[in-house]
Structure formats: C-alpha cells, structure tokens
Amino acid sequence: MWYNNILETIGNTPLVKLNKVTDGIKATVLAKIETSNPGNSIKDRMALKMIEDAEKAGLLKPGGTIIEGTSGNTGMGLAIAAVIKGYKCIFTTTDKQSKEKVDALRAFGAEVIVCPTNVDPEDPRSYYSVSSRLQREVPNSWKANQYDNLSNSMANYEQTGPEIWQQTNGKVTHLVAGVGTGGTLSGAGKYLKEQNPNIKIWGIDTYGSVFKKYKETGIFDKNEIYPYITEGIGEDFLPQNVDFSVIDHFEKVTDKDAALMTREIARKEGIFAGNSCGSVVAGLLQMKDQLKEGDLVVVIFHDHGTRYLGKMYNDDWLRERGFLKDEKLTARSILHNRDNQEIVTIDSDKSVLEAINTIKSLNISQLPVTQQGMVVGKITETDILNSLLENPAAKSYKISQVMTKPFPFVDINTSIEKISSLISKDNTAVLLEYENGKMEIITQFDIISAMSV
Ligand SMILES: Cc1ncc(COP(=O)(O)O)c(C=O)c1O
C-alpha cells in the first residue's frame, strides 16, 4: 500500500498518553501528536483545506501565487501543498519567529519576508499589512488569510474532531488547545460538542493577548496587548476563526512556564514538542483542580520541537531571559530583566550644582563622570553631601574636584555574586561596556530586582 503523494499522509495522527508531566492531575491526559503530519504540525490540515476550497471557489487558479502572513506552521502546510499542486508561495512573518521556522519555509522554495513584531496590525509594516499589499500587487495571487478563512476551522471540524471522537470511543470529556487563529479548537471543539454537549473546550492563551478578557467580559481591551515570547498562540485582534461560543474557558500561561514545560515534555515524555505544547500542559496543570478521576482530556500538540532548537531547547536562550531558576544570574540576565535604560553620565567640567540637578530630576543616586567620553570617576549623593558639609560653596565647584574613583567595570557574563562583591558603601553600582562602546550601569537596586524575579 502506498500514498500517491505526501498530501495523502496528512491527518490520522496518534493519541498518546502523557505519564509524567501531568503528575498531580487525576484525569487521564492524551496528547494528539500533530507533529506526525508531513509539515510537522496540525496546520497541514487546514492549509490543504484552504487551498482546495479556494480552488473550488475559483479564487486560486493554476500557476497562481499563494500569499499569507504566517508564523511558520501554516506556511509549511501551504508550501508543501504548493509544491505538489504547482503554486508559488510568498509568506510574511515576524522577527519574533524562530529562524528555524523561516529556514524551513525557504527549504520548500517559498519566499519569506520578515516584518517587525512590535507594530499594530494596521501599521503598513506589520506582517498582516504587507501580505495584504502583496495580494493587491502580485498578479494571479490569492491570500489564504488563515485568521478569517473559515476553511481553517472547517478542516478541524471535519478531521481533528472526528479523529478524537473515534480514538477515544466517544469518551473524551475535555479538549484543550492553544488558540491562535482559533481554527483548531473552534473546529474540533464544535464537532465534539455536537457529539456530546457536556465536553468542555478549554483554550490556552498568553499574557499579552486579548482572548481571555474578551471571552469573560465581552470587552476588547487594547491594554491587554503587549509583546510576549510564546509562539503560535494569543492574538492582538479577534480572528473570525475563534468561535467564542464553542470555547468554554481561556487560561493564560506565562512565557516562562510555557518554555520550561516544553523542555519537560521532551525530557519526561520523550515527545519533541513545540512551544505551544508546553503552554497547553502548563495551563492544564493550572486547572488541575477542575479535573477528576475518570475524566479523559485530549490536549493538542500543535508542532515539533525542531523549530525551537535555538529557543526553548537552548539553555543560553533560557538563561538570558532568567527562565532557568537554579542557574547563576549574570550581568546579562540582570539587564534582561530590567527595562531598557539609557545610561546618564556627566562631564567632569560641569558644576556640582548641575550634578545635583541631574540626580534630582532623574531620581537617581549616582552618575558616572566622563571626560571626552572616557569614564574618569563617579559622583554620588554621598560625595555631594560630604563636600557640601565641608564647604557650602562646593556646589559651584567643578565635578572633577569632588568626584571619587570610577565604578568598577564588569562584562556581560560576570556572575551576580562577583557583581555583588564589587558593590559596597562607596561603590553603589558597576559599569559594563559593550564592544561597540555602549555602556550600561547596574545598580544595587537592579541586582535586588533580578534576584527577586
Ligand atoms: C505552534 C502553534 N501552536 C498553536 C497554534 C494555534 O492554533 P490555531 O491557529 O488553530 O488556533 C498555532 C497557530 O499558528 C501554532 O503555530
């Protein structure tokens, strides 16, 4: 028995019991391993369905170009189908996505345009806007529009839902999945609820996304939106594929919990899963009190770990974000945990009064002193107080007359223990200089903040 082409191998993915990462959950938890699709994600299903429906509707014609804003997985599904069916592909994606995902799309001959993440969807630079513009400009092109194209949910209604129903002999009690476009959970969830309206459909959301609040209050709150690390789930708008009437509850999971659980799944279950699989398991653990013995939970494992080798599976990446709890903190992680701050310095020829004014207006306690761009000393609140006590006229002195020895320098990999040992009554901060000459100041307060994350 053989398949006529790779597209015929899409679907019928295995359901595998999770045995260790679900410790503490009374229910049986089965993962639907969508990585066994040819593009290593569930998105192969909806990509092919979107193409087939567009062909039927006459929107996609022979030799045409498929355009899509995609974070990778949908692109992969579209790219594979395009190879078999003879279409070209142009994808827009964001600079947040793993390089591995982008490289994989290019491997199938697709053109990929990387756009900035931190702009509004309406911004002309956003990956949504760029793909819409390409659709207008490229002749014989069709934009798949996975967010609002209902062929997306339909693929999961026709395939993923029925597979889960059959594989569990109709015993499934809960379906849990990350929600991005909403196609997976809305489609599969709708089918399952039609078989048994008591089945609970739980969506996993991220901090920085609008779904949970919208579900709970009906309010689309722009204040909920901020950049996050988790890939594939959460949105800053409401895609038509999210059917809020099917999804009973949204649970938010932090970037850190998702990243660490992704690794745990590989280490404890031997399943090399993507970032959103970590989110789903972490979210389920958050909700474990709502599950009882006899419940049969199906979680969707959307995509494969290879796409995250440079991220969740990379210790340096985790360490830089302070995600590895027991690891030693370094200057890098201290700076990563802190908001971006421009270092403020003062020239040694300026007066003490100017230093006082700067310190006061910026609400800081110390300033590195420079001469022709070089650090030559420091001036602190204590230095100023001491000189004023000695002579009240000192405020008109040049800073060079009252400054003390410069703060010590450290490098980006210096451990927090070393940095702390350099901090004293006289040295309330350390300095760090990058190769390009840019400087950072790390204060006692930054160290305290990093240690209390
Ligand atoms: C890795 C990953 N997980 C989860 C999702 C969410 O699935 P859906 O878009 O069907 O809601 C996506 C979608 O892009 C994804 O790529």
Side-chain angles (χ1 to χ4, degrees):
M1 189 269 188
W2 62 78
Y3 296 100
N4 291 309
N5 62 53
I6 196 71
L7 300 180
E8 291 184 0
T9 69
I10 295 173
N12 291 315
T13 53
L15 205 51
V16 177
K17 183 167 177 276
L18 300 179
N19 296 298
K20 300 209 173 92
V21 288
T22 44
D23 213 19
I25 296 179
K26 294 200 186 93
T28 299
V29 182
L30 308 175
K32 183 106 171 111
I33 311 288
E34 290 295 318
T35 57
S36 64
N37 285 305
N40 294 141
S41 96
I42 194 168
K43 298 290 183 154
D44 290 356
R45 300 173 184 267
M46 55 76 109
L48 183 58
K49 172 83 179 159
M50 290 194 298
I51 289 177
E52 286 174 347
D53 287 354
E55 287 170 337
K56 279 186 211 135
L59 300 168
L60 181 58
K61 298 180 198 74
T65 300
I66 299 170
I67 291 175
E68 182 63 330
T70 165
S71 56
N73 288 325
T74 302
M76 179 67 90
L78 290 169
I80 292 173
V83 169
I84 303 300
K85 287 170 166 282
Y87 299 114
K88 286 198 284 294
C89 286
I90 308 178
F91 300 130
T92 59
T93 186
T94 62
D95 50 15
K96 186 177 94 173
Q97 302 306 322
S98 320
K99 185 171 176 304
E100 291 87 342
K101 281 189 183 175
V102 173
D103 288 345
L105 294 177
R106 291 184 174 139
F108 286 88
E111 189 181 325
V112 186
I113 302 169
V114 180
C115 306
T117 309
N118 297 337
V119 295
D120 283 340
E122 310 82 48
D123 188 294
R125 292 165 299 168
S126 81
Y127 83 113
Y128 311 106
S129 306
V130 174
S131 60
S132 299
R133 178 171 57 76
L134 287 169
Q135 186 198 10
R136 289 193 300 275
E137 291 173 2
V138 177
N140 196 13
S141 64
W142 166 75
K143 184 173 171 183
N145 193 9
Q146 58 170 330
Y147 295 97
D148 298 330
N149 184 337
L150 298 178
S151 304
N152 171 359
S153 324
M154 191 48 81
N156 291 290
Y157 177 84
E158 291 175 352
Q159 301 169 30
T160 321
E163 285 175 28
I164 293 169
W165 184 251
Q166 281 151 23
Q167 286 170 309
T168 61
N169 294 322
K171 297 212 171 71
V172 56
T173 57
H174 298 73
L175 176 66
V176 189
V179 179
T181 67
T184 306
L185 195 61
S186 308
K190 182 164 189 276
Y191 177 86
L192 292 176
K193 275 202 164 156
E194 282 172 7
Q195 312 314 306
N196 174 1
N198 296 325
I199 295 176
K200 291 274 173 288
I201 308 295
W202 292 345
I204 301 300
D205 195 12
T206 51
Y207 287 89
S209 154
V210 295
F211 293 147
K212 183 177 172 69
K213 178 145 188 192
Y214 185 78
K215 168 73 188 172
E216 290 173 7
T217 64
I219 295 167
F220 178 86
D221 186 355
K222 276 207 146 198
N223 294 323
E224 291 281 299
I225 301 168
Y226 55 86
Y228 53 86
I229 293 169
T230 304
E231 290 183 43
I233 65 178
E235 285 303 338
D236 49 7
F237 66 103
L238 300 174
Q240 281 176 34
N241 274 299
V242 184
D243 186 341
F244 286 92
S245 69
V246 166
I247 302 167
D248 298 298
H249 171 80
F250 280 93
E251 184 74 4
K252 283 196 187 236
V253 173
T254 65
D255 289 333
K256 179 178 175 180
D257 290 347
L260 293 180
M261 183 52 78
T262 306
R263 278 192 350 158
E264 290 293 285
I265 294 169
R267 291 176 181 199
K268 293 193 171 152
E269 305 287 346
I271 300 172
F272 199 19
N275 188 191
S276 66
C277 310
S279 303
V280 170
V281 174
L284 196 63
L285 284 167
Q286 285 170 207
M287 299 186 71
K288 66 174 194 277
D289 293 345
Q290 298 185 41
L291 296 168
K292 55 182 191 318
E293 231 161 284
D295 284 344
L296 188 57
V297 182
V298 172
V299 296
I300 305 285
F301 275 9
H302 268 87
D303 74 346
H304 200 264
T306 40
R307 292 181 189 157
Y308 306 89
L309 280 173
K311 295 192 165 184
M312 295 76 200
Y313 289 106
N314 180 313
D315 282 358
D316 285 337
W317 185 93
L318 291 169
R319 198 171 291 129
E320 276 165 30
R321 282 151 191 85
F323 287 177
L324 283 185
K325 210 173 168 197
D326 303 328
E327 291 277 339
K328 290 207 172 355
L329 289 167
T330 59
R332 189 194 305 275
S333 42
I334 296 172
L335 291 170
H336 186 84
N337 280 322
R338 186 183 85 175
D339 291 339
N340 247 344
Q341 295 171 6
E342 273 299 302
I343 187 168
V344 182
T345 58
I346 194 155
D347 195 274
S348 60
D349 282 339
K350 296 259 171 74
S351 69
V352 171
L353 184 60
E354 280 172 277
I356 296 172
N357 287 339
T358 310
I359 282 178
K360 216 159 57 179
S361 67
L362 297 176
N363 196 19
I364 53 181
S365 309
Q366 61 267 313
L367 281 166
V369 178
T370 55
Q371 207 172 55
Q372 289 167 344
M374 298 280 290
V375 178
V376 291
K378 67 171 176 302
I379 183 157
T380 67
E381 285 172 331
T382 319
D383 298 332
I384 295 172
L385 181 65
N386 288 343
S387 43
L388 288 177
L389 286 174
E390 232 170 71
N391 180 358
K395 63 176 189 265
S396 55
Y397 286 2
K398 276 191 177 177
I399 290 173
S400 53
Q401 290 173 268
V402 300
M403 70 185 188
T404 50
K405 276 204 308 212
F407 293 120
F409 274 89
V410 299
D411 72 47
I412 194 82
N413 294 317
T414 306
S415 69
I416 201 161
E417 287 82 7
K418 174 77 188 159
I419 297 173
S420 305
S421 73
L422 294 170
I423 301 269
S424 63
K425 185 164 61 60
D426 300 325
N427 264 326
T428 46
V430 296
L431 295 176
L432 185 147
E433 189 168 8
Y434 296 104
E435 274 170 17
N436 63 6
K438 188 175 172 266
M439 267 196 311
E440 303 267 16
I441 185 162
I442 297 175
T443 65
Q444 221 164 350
F445 182 74
D446 294 329
I447 298 172
I448 295 168
S449 304
M451 290 175 83
S452 50
V453 167

